[in-house]
Amino acid sequence: MEMVIAVNPDPASKLGYLLRVPLDGGLVFRTSGTWPRTKALYCHPVPSDEWPDDPEVVERVVVRSCARRGAAIDLVLDRGRENRSQIVYTTARGRDVVFWQSPRTRKQARPNVRTPTARAAGVADLPIVVDSHERYAYRFADQQVVLTKRALPCGDYGVFHDDRLVASVERKSVPDLVTSLTNGTLRYALAELAALPRAAVVVEDRYSAIFALDRVRPAIVADGLAELQVRWPNVPIVFCDTRALAEQWTYRYLAAAYVWAETESPAIARIAAPATTTPSTAEVRAWARTQGLPVPDRGRLRPEVWQAWRAAHPD
């Protein structure tokens, strides 16, 4: 894979270069420079066939990684300096724009983004939904939140945008983490969380606590957690020292996800396929009964019921 920069053959264009990145068969942009060194560079997306048959190549660099992450494309080049950058889809003055930015210019490439103050991400009265099955739930007493309690399809705490669950956090104590890991339910929980735009698992203890376990081999737990993180890297498992710090982390994470959904959802729709709508528990329960699967009249459904529903309703 290579990132290629060539001279724009159109003399009338104010953007003198063409940038091609190895994603989706080759995305092509017009831009004004060869690297965002002092400021973010405006990029104009163009069809791939605008790339000339015999380009005047200015620079050609091997790409170590090129991946779409939300409303941005992360680009890592195989060179020592100036090797990391992002192509960001956002809005400015009411219109869709694309910027090419480096770590040095990242702040300039995100117009109209509110920076955090005393409130998490600057959000007053953050609307957090607490799963109705959550026992001893966080109260967020010291934070500016509005709590609502109802059943969540996955996780214990979540935030919604346009009636869609956009982020969720699963809370675990160390004993609960170990039990769910060894009986296999944590695997199903992470699979469900991974289907969301943003999700995480927060543990109310230090990572070192798993090495003090006496009823299960610590190496089994450590290896199991590592395997889950490799399988679902988009669902981080975060260890916090105490319950209070885990609550604080959950609040900050959900607030950041809420702001992200407000500011970047329109851009995500432009560069990513729409997410699959998660059915309600009632809908899956009714479907399971038509299939002869035993399900309870209320409460959570077993992971194998959700797995059967997904197998019958592929994307």
Side-chain angles (χ1 to χ4, degrees), residues 209-227:
I210 68 175
F211 298 102
L213 299 171
D214 55 4
R215 297 189 178 183
V216 62
R217 290 180 58 194
I220 293 177
V221 178
D223 286 348
L225 293 176
E227 188 269 332

Side-chain angles (χ1 to χ4, degrees), residues 64-251:
R64 290 168 50 193
S65 173
C66 183
R68 179 182 293 121
R69 304 187 190 281
I73 297 171
D74 288 341
L75 191 63
V76 182
L77 306 181
D78 189 16
R79 62 187 183 190
R81 300 181 61 186
E82 295 184 340
N83 59 352
R84 293 182 178 272
S85 65
Q86 282 185 325
I87 297 173
V88 181
Y89 290 70
T90 184
T91 58
R93 299 179 181 177
R95 64 188 184 93
D96 295 331
V97 292
V98 181
F99 287 101
W100 185 19
Q101 62 187 27
S102 63
R104 180 181 297 179
T105 62
R106 181 179 183 276
K107 188 174 181 179
Q108 296 167 300
R110 292 287 301 277
N112 301 324
V113 173
R114 298 178 64 181
T115 56
T117 61
R119 303 163 181 158
V123 180
D125 301 326
L126 177 68
I128 296 178
V129 177
V130 183
D131 184 60
S132 55
H133 299 92
E134 171 74 338
R135 299 180 62 188
Y136 313 113
Y138 294 150
R139 297 183 179 181
F140 303 102
D142 298 328
Q143 284 85 37
Q144 300 182 43
V145 302
V146 176
L147 296 180
T148 304
K149 201 159 189 176
R150 70 173 189 262
L152 290 174
C154 57
D156 298 315
Y157 307 90
V159 290
F160 285 73
H161 180 260
D162 292 338
D163 296 324
R164 179 193 180 197
L165 182 63
V166 294
S168 185
V169 174
E170 176 85 9
R171 178 187 66 86
K172 294 289 185 186
S173 63
V174 166
D176 188 21
L177 178 74
V178 173
T179 299
S180 60
L181 177 66
T182 54
N183 66 17
T185 58
L186 185 59
R187 178 181 298 270
Y188 289 105
L190 261 68
E192 293 178 349
L193 290 169
L196 297 178
R198 296 291 183 269
V201 176
V202 65
V203 183
E204 300 173 339
D205 213 323
R206 299 180 180 181
Y207 179 68
S208 58
I210 68 175
F211 298 102
L213 299 171
D214 55 4
R215 297 189 178 183
V216 62
R217 290 180 58 194
I220 293 177
V221 178
D223 286 348
L225 293 176
E227 188 269 332
L228 292 179
Q229 286 291 255
V230 170
R231 185 176 294 272
W232 291 287
N234 60 323
V235 184
I237 301 175
V238 180
F239 285 82
C240 297
D241 287 6
T242 64
R243 176 182 169 90
L245 289 176
E247 178 180 333
Q248 179 70 205
W249 188 91
T250 299
Y251 167 61

Side-chain angles (χ1 to χ4, degrees), residues 7-8 10 12-18 29-33 42-44:
V7 173
N8 186 355
D10 182 2
S13 176
K14 295 181 179 180
L15 304 176
Y17 298 93
L18 294 178
F29 304 87
R30 296 177 186 172
T31 188
S32 58
Y42 171 74
C43 293
H44 179 68

Side-chain angles (χ1 to χ4, degrees), residues 9-78:
D10 182 2
S13 176
K14 295 181 179 180
L15 304 176
Y17 298 93
L18 294 178
L19 166 68
R20 189 175 68 183
V21 296
L23 189 67
D24 297 339
L27 297 180
V28 179
F29 304 87
R30 296 177 186 172
T31 188
S32 58
T34 59
W35 187 259
R37 293 182 176 87
T38 60
K39 66 177 182 179
L41 300 178
Y42 171 74
C43 293
H44 179 68
V46 296
S48 58
D49 57 9
E50 187 165 315
W51 187 262
D53 295 332
D54 187 20
E56 183 182 343
V57 175
V58 176
E59 192 168 7
R60 186 190 301 270
V61 186
V62 174
V63 173
R64 290 168 50 193
S65 173
C66 183
R68 179 182 293 121
R69 304 187 190 281
I73 297 171
D74 288 341
L75 191 63
V76 182
L77 306 181
D78 189 16

